[in-house]
Amino acid sequence: MTAALRAVFRPLADSSPSAIVAGFIAMLTAYTSSLVLMFQAGQAAGLSGAQIASWIWALSIGMAVCTIGLSLRYRAPIVVAWSTPGAALLVGSLPGVGYAEAIGAYLLCAALLAAVGLSGGCERLMRRLPASLAAALLAGILFGIGSAIFLAAERRPLLVGAMFFGYLLAKRLSPRYAVLAALLIGGLLAGLLGLLDFRDFALQPAQPLWTAPGFSLEAMVSIGIPLFVVAMASQNIPGLVVLRADGYQVPASPLIATTGLASLLLAPFGAHGLNLAAISAAICTGRAAHEDPQRRYTAALWCGLFYAVAGTFAATLASLFAALPGELVLSIAALALFGSIGGGLNSAMAEPREREAALVTFMITASGMTLLSIGAAFWGLLGGVLTLAILEWRRPARGSISPARRAAPPVPGPDRRPG
């Protein structure tokens, strides 16, 4: 066998049943944890089923190509996913702007991501944004969706209660499958209660729809910039941390640049952004994927292949979620975000000197306020930065000695009596 053929068939030789299972679970985790957010955002914005299907298709195909390409290039389990916090942001922001203007905001976000990657400024940019404010912004964006489960419980207490306690039980026994368990319980109970409506469900491939972008300052500020911030803070940086924590020292800039350029190409079809995955990636980088760390990249390859299959039938996925009761969709979205909300709040409050600024960021963002037709995420970030700047203005750095203390004479202690 020639060297070229060996290179072609090497991934198959390196693969294993555990890698296939890990890839499938990673794909399933990505879809069950946040697909409902995009469906919810699309419905709130009045998008048609075809537009939502094109949105899911564009993201899925982009994830498949980037995951497979980067994993083969670096022989590392590099998993690419859509921006889950970005989808959550769109639930509140997308209904306020036209769809063409939203596409323009996606292009801005993608261009910023590509620029950060191509310039090599990923780490430098994130060092300038206090981690506490980024975490508070994320938690504030997700808070409204996470709390929606308790409002849904008012309307369907049996359905939502069963999903909630099923989630808690699975979280205790097998945390990786907690969201999936809640989805299965909710789907089964909804069927028994006659809440499922499959009249419009049909197995059909997706039809990509091109939308010419429009540009408005309102959409750029309320969607494009916050989308970029949460993508970097809550997706790309954690994704890099997961890879490096498991020993994969891949360069950051090419990964960010690739996902940014792919997002730029797919935005007119509805893709709001591709980023490095963290949770899904951790499934593929762990020992359960393969005993040999050098062969775990095959788990990411299988994940990419499953992405491609799911994207091909994106219209079917959209019609499937349309058949589910709204309370089920709200509840599974909320449960999927519990961990992100808790982690964001914990990180936001970790630094005492930045705690008040982080609290301002969280409260403004979680309020859902709109000022000058600009959404809460932007005002939350701006409010936090201003709060931090005012409170920290001319305050001595941690660990430094103030000029007054440096000028003061030493105080005699018990062992320093004068004379």
Side-chain angles (χ1 to χ4, degrees), residues 15-33 63 67 79 176-177 180 183-184 279-281 283-285 288-289 296-310 317:
S15 188
S16 68
S18 62
I20 299 174
V21 172
F24 181 76
I25 293 174
M27 180 277 298
L28 200 62
T29 300
Y31 281 91
T32 57
S33 64
M63 288 154 52
T67 296
V79 179
R176 182 180 298 176
Y177 304 105
L180 179 59
L183 179 60
L184 293 176
I279 298 174
S280 301
I283 297 172
C284 296
T285 60
R296 291 175 191 166
Y297 75 95
T298 58
L301 296 182
W302 284 108
C303 179
L305 289 173
F306 291 131
Y307 278 158
V309 174
L317 288 176

Side-chain angles (χ1 to χ4, degrees), residues 122-131 133 385 388:
C122 177
E123 286 83 358
R124 294 195 303 272
L125 177 66
M126 294 313 298
R127 280 198 297 267
R128 291 182 177 274
L129 177 65
L133 299 194
V385 169
L388 187 62

Side-chain angles (χ1 to χ4, degrees), residues 281-366:
I283 297 172
C284 296
T285 60
R287 188 173 181 178
H290 205 293
E291 289 292 329
D292 185 354
Q294 296 184 352
R295 298 184 178 184
R296 291 175 191 166
Y297 75 95
T298 58
L301 296 182
W302 284 108
C303 179
L305 289 173
F306 291 131
Y307 278 158
V309 174
T312 301
F313 294 97
T316 302
L317 288 176
S319 61
L320 174 63
F321 277 94
L324 303 177
E327 292 80 10
L328 188 152
V329 173
L330 286 173
S331 298
I332 198 65
L335 293 172
L337 295 174
F338 272 16
S340 297
I341 296 170
L345 288 173
N346 181 65
S347 299
M349 300 296 124
E351 176 52 59
R353 289 180 61 166
E354 298 174 357
R355 191 169 292 162
E356 197 155 6
L359 182 61
V360 170
T361 299
F362 169 75
M363 293 179 68
I364 294 175
T365 306

